[in-house]
C-alpha cells in the first residue's frame, strides 16, 4: 500500500487559512493545536493515512439560521444564529451557546474545535460543539431576552437532543437564558430530557455547575503549583472578567489563601490592593448578576480601590498568578512579557483562548506554568457531563459527591497533561502540548476505529 503524503505544518496551516477565509480565530485555534500535533504524529503513520487532524479541523456540520424577534417597542429585529457540530467521535456534541455582538462563524468554529479537545480531556464521553448568536443581551429586558431565546430555540431544537447534541451556557447565556430555551424546547417537543445543561436545580440542573468553571481553573492552578512543591496561599492573583467564571475563580483563589487584586469588564479593570475578599466578591456577584451593572461601580463601594477605564486590561499589575477569565485574545505577546517580567509564575486560563499565539509563545519560552483553557477551564463542561449522567439516571447527586468529582477530574486532566507535556531533557511541563496531544489522541483513536466516515 502506498504511504500517505506527509503535508508539513506550514502547508497544513496555509490550507486551513485558504479553506476558511476571513476566519482568523478558527485558523489561530487550529494552528495552536497543529504546532504540537505535527510533532506527535511525525512517526505515527495511521494518523497521517487517515487524515485525522485535517478531519478534526473540518466541522461535521455548521448550521446557520435567521432569528427574528420583536423588541419591547414593537420593532422586528433580525439576528443570526449558529450551531457548529465539530466532532462526535467520543460522545454527543457538547458545548455552550454564546450571545454576544462579537459572535461570528469563525469564533464559534474556533470554540467548537477547542471544545472537542477539552471534552476529551475530561475523560467523559462528550464530543465537541458550540453555538450562539450576535444578539447582545446587554440592556435588554427579561421579556426581550425571553422572546429572543424562544425564537432561537424554535430553529435550534431540530438539531439537538440528549443523545445528539447538548448545548449549555457561555458568555451572555446563564441560568435565565437556559431556562427560557429549555422551556421552549420542552414546549415544542413535549419531551423532558437532558437536552441542555446548566439548568435550574428545580428542573434537572446539577449542584456546583455554576461554580465549576472558575473553581476548576483554580484547582488546575493548584495542581500545577503542587507539582513543583508550591501553593496558592500567600500569592497575589490578577484576574480578568467579572462574570460567572471570574467571580468563582476569585472565590476559590481567596479560599485557598490567595489575594485577588483585580477583576474587569469590557470597560476596564478595578485594582484593589487590599484584596477582593469574599464579602466584596458577593457584592460583585449581585452587581453583575441580578443588577446587571458595571465593574466600575466597585470603586464607589470599596475605598482604596481604583478603576482603570478605556477598556484597560489588568496584566500590568504585578502578581504571582494570573487567571484570564474574560474572553478570547484578551492577553497579547507584549502583555505576556510584562506578566513574566513582573514575576508571574503561573497562568491558568478560565476563558477560551484568552492568550493570543504570540502570548502563548512568550509563556512557553519563559517556561512558566501555563495552562491553556482547554485544560484549565474544563471543569465547567465536566460538571455539565455529570449533569447529563444525573438526567439520564433521573437522580441528583449530593454536593459533596460532585465537589469530589470535580477535584478528581481536574487532577486527572493535570495528570494527562503531565504525561504528554513532559520532555525527557527538561523538568518543565509544557501544558499546551500535553493538553493538545492528550485530547487529540483520544478523539483520533476513536476516529481510527471507525475508518473513513
Ligand atoms: N461554555 C463552557 C465551555 O466553554 C461550558 C460548556 C458546557 O457546559 O457544555 O466549556
Amino acid at each position: 500500500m502506498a504511504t500517505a503524503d506527509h503535508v508539513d505544518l506550514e502547508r497544513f496551516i496555509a490550507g486551513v487559512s485558504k479553506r476558511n477565509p476571513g476566519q482568523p480565530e478558527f485558523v489561530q485555534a487550529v494552528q495552536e493545536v497543529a504546532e504540537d500535533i505535527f510533532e506527535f504524529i511525525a512517526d505515527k503513520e495511521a494518523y497521517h493515512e487517515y487524515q485525522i487532524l485535517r478531519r478534526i479541523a473540518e466541522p461535521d456540520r455548521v448550521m446557520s439560521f435567521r432569528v427574528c424577534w420583536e423588541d419591547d417597542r414593537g420593532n422586528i429585529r433580525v439576528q443570526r444564529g449558529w450551531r457548529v457540530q465539530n466532532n462526535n467521535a467520543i460522545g454527543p456534541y457538547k458545548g455552550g451557546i454564546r450571545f454576544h455582538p462579537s459572535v461570528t462563524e469563525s469564533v464559534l468554529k474556533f470554540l467548537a474545535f477547542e471544545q472537542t479537545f477539552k471534552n476529551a480531556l475530561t475523560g467523559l464521553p462528550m464530543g465537541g460543539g458550540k453555538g450562539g448568536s450576535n444578539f447582545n443581551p446587554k440592556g435588554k429586558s427579561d421579556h426581550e431576552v425571553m422572546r429572543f431565546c424562544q425564537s432561537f430555540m424554535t430553529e435550534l431544537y431540530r438539531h439537538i437532543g440528549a443523545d445528539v447534541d447538548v448545548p449549555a451556557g457561555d458568555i451572555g447565556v446563564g441560568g435565565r437564558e437556559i431556562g427560557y430555551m429549555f422551556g421552549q424546547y420542552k414546549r415544542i417537543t413535549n419531551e423532558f430530557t437532558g437536552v441542555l445543561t446548566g439548568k435550574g436545580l428545580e428542573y434537572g440542573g446539577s449542584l456546583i455547575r455554576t461554580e465549576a468553571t472558575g473553581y476548576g481553573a483554580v484547582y488546575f492552578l493548584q495542581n500545577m503549583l503542587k507539582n513543583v512543591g508550591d501553593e496558592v496561599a500567600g500569592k497575589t492573583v490578577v484576574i480578568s472578567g467579572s462574570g460567572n467564571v471570574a467571580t468563582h475563580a476569585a472565590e476559590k483563589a481567596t479560599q485557598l489563601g490567595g489575594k485577588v487584586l483585580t477583576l474587569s469588564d469590557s470597560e476596564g479593570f478595578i485594582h484593589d490592593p487590599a484584596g477582593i475578599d469574599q464579602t466584596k466578591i458577593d457584592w460583585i456577584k449581585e452587581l453583575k448578576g441580578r443588577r446587571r451593572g458595571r465593574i466600575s461601580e466597585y470603586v464607589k463601594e470599596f475605598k482604596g480601590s481604583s478603576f482603570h477605564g478605556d477598556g484597560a486590561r489588568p496584566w500590568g499589575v504585578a502578581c504571582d498568578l494570573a487567571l484570564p477569565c474574560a474572553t478570547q485574545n484578551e492577553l497579547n505577546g507584549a502583555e505576556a512579557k510584562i506578566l513574566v517580567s513582573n514575576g508571574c509564575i503561573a497562568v491558568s486560563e478560565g476563558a477560551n483562548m484568552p492568550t493570543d499565539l504570540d502570548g502563548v509563545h512568550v509563556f512557553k519560552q519563559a517556561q512558566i506554568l501555563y495552562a491553556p483553557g482547554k485544560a484549565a477551564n474544563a471543569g465547567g463542561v465536566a460538571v455539565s457531563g455529570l449533569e447529563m449522567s444525573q438526567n439520564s439516571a433521573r437522580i441528583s447527586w449530593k454536593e459533596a459527591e460532585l465537589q469530589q468529582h470535580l477535584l478528581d477530574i481536574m487532577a486527572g486532566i493535570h495528570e494527562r497533561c503531565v504525561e504528554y507535556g513532559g520532555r525527557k531533557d527538561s523538568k518543565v511541563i509544557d501544558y499546551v502540548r500535553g493538553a493538545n496531544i492528550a485530547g487529540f489522541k483520544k478523539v483520533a483513536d476513536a476516529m481510527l476505529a471507525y475508518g473513513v466516515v
Side-chain angles (χ1 to χ4, degrees):
M1 196 179 73
T3 339
D5 277 348
H6 285 210
V7 182
D8 65 22
L9 177 63
E10 230 165 275
R11 256 180 67 202
F12 177 79
I13 295 302
V16 174
S17 302
K18 198 166 159 221
R19 284 189 298 277
N20 300 280
Q23 303 199 338
E25 295 86 358
F26 177 64
V27 176
Q28 179 187 339
V30 175
Q31 182 168 346
E32 191 225 85
V33 167
E35 284 177 2
D36 292 317
I37 299 304
F38 264 73
E39 198 195 318
F40 174 68
I41 64 175
D43 58 351
K44 298 178 180 64
E45 194 52 40
Y47 295 143
H48 287 282
E49 188 187 337
Y50 283 87
Q51 296 281 319
I52 299 293
L53 186 59
R54 169 87 166 76
R55 285 161 61 197
I56 299 179
E58 191 69 44
D60 287 357
R61 61 190 70 80
V62 179
M63 276 78 68
S64 160
F65 47 93
R66 185 186 64 237
V67 186
C68 295
W69 59 286
E70 191 178 335
D71 71 20
D72 286 346
R73 286 174 303 158
N75 300 312
I76 302 305
R77 311 279 289 261
V78 183
Q79 246 79 44
R80 190 169 295 173
W82 289 271
R83 185 73 185 166
V84 179
Q85 295 178 336
N86 194 72
N87 187 293
N88 67 351
I90 62 163
Y93 304 106
K94 178 86 196 85
I97 291 176
R98 179 177 291 192
F99 291 163
H100 193 269
S102 66
V103 166
T104 60
E105 190 172 310
S106 169
V107 167
L108 295 176
K109 277 172 66 179
F110 115 65
L111 288 163
F113 177 80
E114 287 276 299
Q115 198 83 42
T116 303
F117 294 82
K118 185 197 306 193
N119 293 2
L121 275 170
T122 65
L124 300 173
M126 301 182 289
K130 205 86 184 193
S133 172
N134 56 355
F135 172 70
N136 186 1
K138 219 177 273 173
K140 305 286 191 302
S141 70
D142 285 352
H143 281 195
E144 288 178 322
V145 171
M146 178 183 73
R147 286 193 292 272
F148 178 80
C149 287
Q150 290 176 339
S151 183
F152 184 83
M153 185 52 87
T154 301
E155 172 60 31
L156 186 68
Y157 90 95
R158 65 186 91 245
H159 308 294
I160 61 176
D163 294 316
V164 180
D165 182 354
V166 182
D170 196 82
I171 294 172
V173 177
R176 175 181 64 169
E177 291 74 16
I178 294 292
Y180 292 147
M181 286 193 273
F182 187 72
Q184 183 72 349
Y185 182 88
K186 192 170 65 56
R187 175 196 200 185
I188 296 172
T189 62
N190 198 29
E191 269 183 19
F192 196 110
T193 61
V195 68
L196 295 176
T197 61
K199 299 185 291 298
L201 295 177
E202 306 77 10
Y203 54 95
S206 175
L207 286 165
I208 83 159
R209 175 62 190 87
T210 314
E211 297 88 342
T213 314
Y215 280 18
V218 177
Y219 291 150
F220 200 90
L221 183 64
Q222 195 182 21
N223 277 294
M224 290 199 294
L225 289 167
K226 199 168 136 207
N227 201 43
V228 295
D230 209 340
E231 59 181 9
V232 175
K235 304 269 191 307
T236 50
V237 190
V238 159
I239 301 181
S240 64
S242 48
N244 183 46
V245 181
T247 50
H248 288 102
E251 186 166 294
K252 185 51 71 181
T254 305
Q255 285 171 10
L256 294 177
K259 187 187 199 185
V260 178
L261 299 177
T262 67
L263 285 169
S264 70
D265 63 19
S266 57
E267 290 174 0
F269 73 91
I270 49 136
H271 179 199
D272 188 343
I276 304 171
D277 61 17
Q278 188 64 53
T279 318
K280 296 170 178 174
I281 294 168
D282 289 342
W283 185 89
I284 296 167
K285 280 188 189 170
E286 168 79 6
L287 168 81
K288 299 296 285 194
R290 208 183 48 80
R291 282 170 53 200
R292 297 184 191 274
R294 307 304 300 171
I295 198 70
S296 56
E297 294 172 45
Y298 181 95
V299 296
K300 285 184 245 150
E301 189 74 16
F302 301 106
K303 300 284 164 257
S305 62
S306 52
F307 174 67
H308 306 258
D310 294 325
R313 305 195 282 218
W315 314 123
V317 176
C319 63
D320 303 312
L321 311 171
L323 288 147
C325 296
T327 193
Q328 68 268 8
N329 292 330
E330 53 158 322
L331 202 171
N332 61 29
E335 290 162 321
K337 279 189 189 143
I338 294 172
L339 276 170
V340 171
S341 67
N342 278 342
C344 177
I345 57 166
V347 178
S348 182
E349 294 183 341
N352 290 312
M353 205 170 74
T355 309
D356 74 5
L357 265 178
D358 287 345
V360 173
H361 294 149
V362 170
F363 291 146
K364 275 196 177 201
Q365 226 159 14
Q367 300 200 333
I368 66 163
L369 301 172
Y370 166 56
K374 61 173 82 71
N377 73 36
V381 75
V383 175
S384 275
L386 303 180
E387 183 172 331
M388 289 167 70
S389 303
Q390 293 171 83
N391 290 167
S392 298
R394 294 198 158 80
I395 51 169
S396 301
W397 296 340
K398 294 197 173 65
E399 181 173 343
E401 208 172 338
L402 287 156
Q403 293 281 13
Q404 193 56 49
H405 274 304
L406 178 59
L407 278 165
D408 291 346
I409 288 170
M410 295 316 293
I413 298 172
H414 181 264
E415 243 168 64
R416 283 185 270 282
C417 289
V418 170
E419 184 182 344
Y420 291 101
R423 285 189 195 275
K424 280 195 197 80
D425 52 352
S426 160
K427 273 207 221 119
V428 183
I429 306 295
D430 181 340
Y431 286 92
V432 178
R433 183 164 167 269
N436 284 337
I437 296 175
F440 171 81
K441 195 172 177 309
K442 182 168 178 188
V443 176
D445 290 346
M447 289 172 74
L448 283 182
Y450 304 144
V452 181
V453 290

